[in-house]
Amino acid sequence: MYKVPAQPSTQRVYVWRKLKGWGALYLQQSVCVLPHREDLQQYLAELKADITAGGGEADLLIIWIDEPDQNAMLVNRFQQQADREYQEFLGQCRDLHCELSEERKIGNLTFAELEENEAELNKLRSWLPKIRDRDLFDAPKYSQATEALKACELDFQLFSQQIYQAEGIDSESL
């Protein structure tokens, strides 16, 4: 639980981004939960120091949920939160496939397109591990996301080969 001064908003945004980056689940404004893990406890202690140094208040409470149904509901909410991120990731994977398909369709097989789409693939490659780090309870869509990334990599590899062929370059000799 935390309370930060309303102005400037930079501290409030900083705290929110840090907590969301660690996979925190907000129960209500300025109240969130994370599983009890040593690495997270250290981060939270440092964040609490940042909050108080900025004129705010923060409390770190360790809670134990005895009720199995309540615990399962909370884990489910964490998984749903991660699955929403995976779903967005899957949408970006579909977008990459559509982009590659469109470039093939119009015959735009250039090195500029190769670089542009490689940059998009690299964004996907770096994004998935970040989502996974925030996925604290193994959300169901993770395996679908990893398969989608593999499919993007294969589609991009094929696209690369098609560009090399269009340019008259033997891709095997590269």
Side-chain angles (χ1 to χ4, degrees):
M1 296 182 295
Y2 63 91
K3 184 178 179 181
V4 294
Q7 294 299 323
S9 64
T10 52
Q11 186 181 24
R12 190 172 56 256
V13 171
Y14 168 79
V15 170
W16 181 85
R17 288 187 64 157
K18 285 285 191 184
L19 290 166
K20 290 303 281 182
W22 298 326
L25 176 67
Y26 273 80
L27 301 178
Q28 60 182 330
Q29 187 175 341
S30 301
V31 178
C32 58
V33 293
L34 283 160
H36 185 62
R37 293 186 355 202
E38 282 303 313
D39 59 334
L40 293 174
Q41 292 299 76
Q42 183 178 350
Y43 298 150
L44 290 168
E46 292 169 7
L47 183 59
K48 179 180 178 180
D50 289 347
I51 291 170
T52 56
E57 303 170 15
D59 292 307
L60 298 176
L61 306 173
I62 297 175
I63 60 169
W64 178 261
I65 301 173
D66 260 346
E67 178 63 39
D69 289 343
Q70 181 68 31
N71 195 53
M73 184 272 310
L74 203 54
V75 167
N76 185 51
R77 286 181 61 190
F78 271 105
Q79 290 174 325
Q80 288 173 354
Q81 176 176 270
D83 273 345
R84 283 191 295 274
E85 284 195 82
Y86 288 130
Q87 193 62 46
E88 187 176 342
F89 178 86
L90 292 168
Q92 293 298 310
C93 288
R94 283 188 297 276
D95 290 350
L96 179 61
H97 288 298
C98 288
E99 173 68 16
L100 296 176
S101 178
E102 182 63 24
E103 297 305 340
R104 288 180 181 111
K105 181 177 163 185
I106 63 174
N108 193 10
L109 302 174
T110 66
F111 286 112
E113 282 302 318
L114 183 66
E115 287 179 355
E116 178 185 322
N117 287 293
E118 184 175 35
E120 291 303 311
L121 180 60
N122 286 335
K123 286 179 192 175
L124 293 171
R125 286 175 175 151
S126 67
W127 186 17
L128 185 57
K130 291 175 186 175
I131 299 171
R132 183 63 174 166
D133 286 346
R134 292 186 291 268
D135 179 3
L136 303 172
F137 292 96
D138 299 322
K141 288 197 183 296
Y142 173 67
S143 60
Q144 188 179 352
T146 58
E147 292 303 314
L149 180 58
K150 288 176 190 173
C152 285
E153 289 172 336
L154 290 174
D155 196 10
F156 179 78
Q157 183 179 24
L158 176 61
F159 184 69
S160 299
Q161 291 169 348
Q162 291 167 329
I163 288 174
Y164 291 132
Q165 287 171 352
E167 294 290 329
I169 298 170
D170 180 13
S171 63
E172 296 297 320
S173 64
L174 295 176

